């Protein structure tokens, strides 16, 4: 089976730099994947792509040395099975609040006997290779999103769930759950403290910690504190941010 670059980087102790695809545009995805991100995540929760477009985005990303991932809309077996069948090599699942939620994610994403995923990978077989069925369970990654107060109270049990490879911090939802306003770069001490606790607990449990970042500086800071999977902006936010910078410069 085609190796998972994300797993290889983690195994070497490195950091995965992840691009985020919110737009439904194949041109935007091609541009993002071409610049050298280790992986690109199609956002099916808050992004603009539907299932058909997601498949097309996976195909575009797969032209490059860039691992296709998906942030699914929910911990739904049918939705998870679909993106995996379409060649997605990793699932980022929102709102994993309990160890039962984490176990459900694993069950939904793995073939028996580890899980209950139905067999029929279609494009996944073309992208992954002829031995997909034998090696998919050990190749595809699962990341549980930690973004609520409840998830924080169950953090260690979630991290220790068999089949969970990493956790992914959603700082905005985490801030809201803790009673604070969301910010692209969190500065509230309680939110920052919670994120620091997450990366410590993840490291103690032997799983990777990832985080969505509102700036390059934020990403570098959290890498220094132990995060091994970082996203900066989205394709849409990057476009708007750069356009705003250019217009401001022109108006000066």
């Amino acid at each position: 089976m085609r190796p998972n670059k994300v797993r290889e980087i983690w195994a070497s102790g490195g950091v995965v730099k992840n691009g985020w695809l919110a737009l439904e545009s194949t041109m935007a995805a091609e541009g993002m994947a071409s610049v050298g991100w280790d992986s690109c995540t199609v956002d099916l929760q808050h992004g603009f792509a539907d299932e058909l477009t997601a498949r097309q985005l996976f195909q575009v990303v797969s032209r490059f040395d860039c691992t296709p991932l998906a942030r699914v809309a929910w911990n739904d077996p049918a939705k998870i099975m679909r993106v995996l069948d379409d060649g997605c090599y990793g699932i980022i699942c929102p709102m994993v609040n309990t160890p039962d939620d984490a176990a459900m994610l694993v069950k939904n994403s793995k073939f028996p006997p580890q899980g209950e995923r139905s067999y029929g990978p279609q494009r996944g077989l073309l992208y992954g290779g002829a031995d997909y069925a034998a090696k998919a369970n050990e190749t595809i990654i699962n990341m549980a999103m930690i973004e609520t107060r409840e998830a924080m109270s169950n953090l260690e049990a979630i991290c220790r769930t068999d089949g969970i490879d990493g956790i992914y911090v959603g700082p905005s939802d985490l801030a809201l759950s803790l009673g604070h306003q969301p910010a692209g770069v969190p500065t509230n001490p309680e939110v920052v403290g919670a994120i620091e606790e997450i990366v410590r607990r993840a490291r103690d449990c032997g799983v990777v910690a990832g985080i969505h970042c509102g700036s390059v500086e934020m990403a570098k800071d959290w890498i220094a504190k132990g995060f091994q999977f970082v996203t900066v902006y989205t394709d849409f936010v990057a476009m708007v941010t750069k356009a705003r910078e250019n217009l401001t410069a022109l108006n000066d």
Side-chain angles (χ1 to χ4, degrees):
M1 186 171 173
R2 181 194 298 260
N4 190 325
K5 184 178 180 180
V6 172
R7 280 200 183 278
E8 292 180 330
I9 292 172
W10 287 346
S12 70
V15 176
V16 173
K17 285 87 170 180
N18 175 64
W20 199 268
L21 306 180
L23 295 170
E24 67 271 57
S25 166
T26 54
M27 284 300 299
E30 188 170 27
M32 287 285 285
S34 72
V35 304
W37 296 107
D38 299 313
S39 58
C40 275
T41 298
V42 177
D43 187 358
L44 287 159
Q45 184 186 24
H46 293 302
F48 305 111
D50 57 20
E51 289 182 353
L52 173 59
T53 310
R55 183 184 312 125
Q56 295 168 341
L57 299 181
F58 295 148
Q59 290 173 310
V60 169
V61 169
S62 299
R63 290 186 53 233
F64 302 90
D65 184 23
C66 183
T67 300
L69 309 176
R71 198 256 294 269
V72 291
W74 206 250
N75 197 355
D76 180 306
K79 301 296 186 183
I80 290 172
M81 179 174 65
R82 172 59 64 187
V83 294
L84 292 177
D85 283 354
D86 286 342
C88 171
Y89 252 39
I91 300 294
I92 299 175
C93 184
M95 295 295 178
V96 176
N97 294 320
T98 68
D100 286 343
D101 291 341
M104 177 67 75
L105 169 58
V106 174
K107 183 174 73 172
N108 291 339
S109 64
K110 292 187 181 294
F111 293 125
Q114 292 97 326
E116 296 181 359
R117 179 186 171 191
S118 177
Y119 183 77
Q122 304 291 339
R123 182 179 176 272
L125 189 64
L126 292 176
Y127 176 72
D131 55 351
Y132 184 95
K135 294 186 178 179
N137 284 0
E138 65 190 55
T139 301
I140 291 166
I141 63 167
N142 285 313
M143 298 188 77
M145 291 196 71
I146 303 297
E147 43 191 347
T148 67
R149 188 183 295 275
E150 182 182 10
M152 288 295 300
S153 68
N154 292 309
L155 182 56
E156 183 163 346
I158 292 171
C159 289
R160 294 193 183 279
T161 301
D162 188 32
I164 293 296
D165 302 293
I167 54 178
Y168 189 75
V169 181
S172 293
D173 278 316
L174 181 59
L176 285 170
S177 183
L178 295 175
H180 307 289
Q181 288 301 303
V185 179
T187 57
N188 181 276
E190 185 179 12
V191 177
V192 172
I195 297 172
E196 290 173 341
E197 181 182 353
I198 288 170
V199 70
R200 285 196 302 269
R201 291 283 193 93
R203 184 169 54 243
D204 290 346
C205 294
V207 298
V208 169
I211 187 169
H212 206 94
C213 300
S215 72
V216 171
E217 292 74 19
M218 176 182 170
K220 288 183 175 180
D221 286 344
W222 287 117
I223 288 170
K225 293 179 180 178
F227 279 88
Q228 288 183 265
F229 184 97
V230 293
T231 304
V232 181
Y233 290 159
T234 69
D235 51 0
F236 177 71
V237 173
M239 178 185 71
V240 172
T241 299
K242 189 61 179 179
R244 184 180 294 115
E245 289 177 358
N246 287 343
L247 183 58
T248 299
L250 282 170
N251 288 334
D252 284 345

